Amino acid sequence: MAKFNFKEITGVIPALLTPFDKDENLDEKGLRALIAKLLDEGVHGLYLTGSTGEGFLMNQEERMKAVEIAMDEVAGRVPVIVHVGAISTRLSLELTHHASEAGADAISSVPPFYYKFSEKEIIEYYRELAAATALPMIVYNIPLAGLMGYDTILKLAKLPGVEGIKYTATSHFEITRLKSDVGPDFMIYSGADEMALSGLLAGADGIIGSTYNAISDTFLDLYSAYTEGRLEEARDIMKEAVAVIMQLLSYGSLMAVLKAINRWNGVDAGYVRKPFTNFSEEEEENMKKDFVALHEKMNFKHVKFITELMKK
């Protein structure tokens, strides 16, 4: 049973990595360790089995198992959103029912993708998922699955049970429009890490991101500065975050880098699944040097993992 009111799901919410061992098996110990670290750092919630969690590289049983482990480890301390997206409505419904039974506080899904489904088919997909349980549904606008038009988003927002959107795009004026056109109770989560501050300023209720697995401290500082009205400081922190994110993206395999950073700092977040590739020891050593050099250039004040690297 859900433990949190939907309006309580705000703040900094990592899109959680899913640790796998070197043989690509789900790593329960690593998953628990990663969750424990993020909760200790003070994140406000977790978003499970999404793109960052390599959900589409896992079968149904693995996705359910990952949710069960996470829910047990979280133990009601923060809200949990479970991503239930799949191309098939039937598969998504199975994951939706399981998320509800596991005690999730909300569900989310990318629109069905690959086959270029019609607007009618996408709306019906969300209608069925939202009606399947009492959990609030967070629709997901993301380029990887095909950005939905604003009119489509408005239609989705009117469906019973659809109570929010994870908005991952490179412009944020529609966030402001949504709050006006749908109403202030429609929850909006900004999903572009490098535009977190922009999303908050546009009216987002929270931020959900991949890089928060490695630099949650940076975004927690950003969120605190924003909510306390220290906007100049928030801008400076965002500048640091963007520099780190651009460095992370330069290596190609983002999830592999985020997992490596956690390993460097004593949290075994495991490895990525093929066709993603992991990095060699030599490549990882060069990455460490890159981050230290970036720190020396930027004089970071809000990026803990690089500071820890420099002590070793």
Side-chain angles (χ1 to χ4, degrees):
M1 180 179 292
K3 295 180 175 60
F4 291 86
N5 181 284
F6 190 45
K7 293 290 289 183
E8 296 178 285
I9 307 179
T10 60
V12 179
I13 304 171
L16 192 69
L17 295 165
T18 303
F20 301 105
D21 64 25
K22 288 186 176 180
D23 295 318
E24 300 193 27
N25 299 305
L26 181 63
D27 184 349
E28 177 174 347
K29 184 178 178 181
L31 180 55
R32 289 183 181 276
L34 177 60
I35 291 170
K37 181 208 78 163
L38 291 170
L39 294 185
D40 185 61
E41 290 174 343
V43 301
H44 304 119
L46 293 172
Y47 186 98
L48 309 181
T49 58
S51 305
T52 304
E54 298 173 68
F56 298 118
L57 302 184
M58 302 162 68
N59 62 36
Q60 294 286 92
E61 291 73 21
E62 288 172 323
R63 289 177 70 167
M64 292 178 185
K65 182 65 175 177
V67 169
E68 291 167 7
I69 293 168
M71 293 305 302
D72 182 67
E73 186 65 31
V74 171
R77 287 175 284 177
V78 297
V80 175
I81 304 165
V82 175
H83 176 262
V84 298
I87 299 178
S88 159
T89 303
R90 181 172 180 172
L91 293 176
S92 294
L93 283 170
E94 288 179 3
L95 296 170
T96 296
H97 286 296
H98 179 266
S100 179
E101 292 166 2
D105 298 286
I107 55 170
S108 180
S109 176
V110 296
F113 54 93
Y114 184 75
Y115 287 109
K116 296 184 179 179
F117 294 100
S118 68
E119 179 189 66
K120 180 180 178 181
E121 290 167 329
I122 290 171
I123 290 173
E124 186 58 28
Y125 169 84
Y126 279 116
R127 186 193 309 278
E128 289 195 46
L129 264 60
T133 71
L135 294 178
M137 160 60 75
I138 302 168
V139 301
Y140 194 168
N141 207 28
I142 181 172
L144 286 171
L147 286 173
M148 296 179 286
Y150 189 72
D151 288 343
T152 301
I153 293 173
L154 288 179
K155 292 175 184 177
L156 291 172
K158 294 176 182 177
L159 295 176
V162 173
E163 299 184 34
I165 185 170
K166 183 172 185 283
Y167 190 92
T168 303
T170 54
S171 64
H172 282 157
F173 70 94
E174 287 184 345
I175 291 177
T176 304
R177 290 183 68 196
L178 279 169
K179 283 292 186 180
S180 174
D181 293 343
V182 181
D185 290 336
F186 188 72
M187 300 291 281
I188 300 177
Y189 303 93
S190 178
D193 298 19
E194 64 274 25
M195 297 179 65
L197 182 57
S198 169
L200 291 169
L201 290 168
D205 300 284
I207 52 178
I208 300 174
S210 307
T211 60
Y212 309 172
N213 286 275
I215 53 173
S216 68
D217 57 313
T218 310
F219 285 94
L220 287 164
D221 288 350
L222 171 74
Y223 190 73
S224 292
Y226 166 75
T227 56
E228 294 167 11
R230 294 178 279 114
L231 296 185
E232 186 173 347
E233 182 180 350
R235 183 197 63 190
D236 292 340
I237 297 171
M238 192 71 246
K239 187 176 180 180
E240 291 189 18
V242 169
V244 175
I245 291 168
M246 293 302 103
Q247 189 67 44
L248 290 167
L249 293 174
S250 72
Y251 301 115
S253 184
L254 177 61
M255 278 79 84
V257 182
L258 296 174
K259 290 181 177 184
I261 289 171
N262 274 282
R263 292 198 307 274
W264 301 342
N265 286 283
V267 178
D268 190 0
Y271 302 87
V272 292
R273 266 190 173 172
K274 294 178 181 176
F276 289 126
T277 56
N278 295 290
F279 297 101
S280 67
E281 290 185 13
E282 182 181 359
E283 287 172 323
E284 289 192 18
E285 288 303 314
N286 287 332
M287 289 177 195
K288 292 178 185 179
K289 294 176 184 176
D290 291 343
F291 285 117
V292 170
L294 186 62
H295 172 84
E296 292 173 346
K297 176 183 177 182
M298 298 286 296
N299 190 27
F300 292 134
K301 297 179 176 62
H302 303 273
V303 188
K304 181 181 176 182
F305 90 85
I306 303 180
T307 304
E308 292 300 315
L309 278 180
M310 295 173 71
K311 294 178 182 178
K312 298 176 181 180

